Amino acid sequence: QISGRRGDTLKYFVLEKQEGNGIPEIVNWYEKLDVRRINRQQHRELPRIIMLDIKIWKEDIFPDMLFHPVLLVSQEAMAVIKMYDAEMPYHTVVLMDVDQTRSGVYCLPVLEEIRDGEITENIPLGFITERGCKKILVERDLLESLLYRGMTGVSVKVW
């Protein structure tokens, strides 16, 4: 049995970008995406479908999760997330590179913020800010389901 920070059973893990993979780079996003509105109170002010430009090389992959400037998940990963949190709001994001004529469709989940490092209810996927750094937290059962389905481009660390 794995123990967590307080000696209890480890339930949450941190998701990060897996190093070594070439992935699309989202460019000029600050003109099209107001990240301040990506929260449970204001996300409805964002368009349901958001178009963003990317730079991508021939050998780059479209991973299941992109982490910058915000968390974006593949449609397949979002379907798994919805099995654990059917009420999680999200927006559709279309990533387009006109030079390479490649595109990808992602989902921008509106994550719940975990405050003061205390998880008081079952939150399958959320975020916490520690020392000014935003971390994406995933609950063990959801993580196992994503890994079982072959999630790519993601590194997992103990929280």
Side-chain angles (χ1 to χ4, degrees), residues 5 12 50 55 67 100-101 127 140:
R5 291 180 169 186
Y12 285 87
I50 301 165
K55 285 186 181 178
F67 293 90
Q100 294 288 331
T101 62
F127 76 93
R140 182 180 54 221

Side-chain angles (χ1 to χ4, degrees), residues 26-70:
I26 299 172
V27 296
N28 302 324
W29 57 269
Y30 43 86
E31 299 169 358
K32 299 176 183 179
L33 181 61
D34 186 353
V35 295
R36 298 170 299 176
R37 298 199 189 291
I38 304 172
N39 59 62
R40 295 284 172 110
Q41 293 75 36
Q42 297 178 302
H43 76 92
R44 288 173 197 82
E45 297 172 23
L46 295 170
R48 288 298 304 152
I49 299 174
I50 301 165
M51 307 282 280
L52 296 176
D53 298 324
I54 59 172
K55 285 186 181 178
I56 190 167
W57 304 102
K58 215 180 280 190
E59 60 277 356
D60 287 353
I61 65 167
F62 282 98
D64 283 302
M65 293 187 182
L66 293 168
F67 293 90
H68 182 76
V70 294

Side-chain angles (χ1 to χ4, degrees), residues 74-86:
S74 67
Q75 292 176 304
E76 296 81 7
M78 192 68 211
V80 175
I81 293 166
K82 293 291 269 182
M83 291 190 307
Y84 289 84
D85 186 351

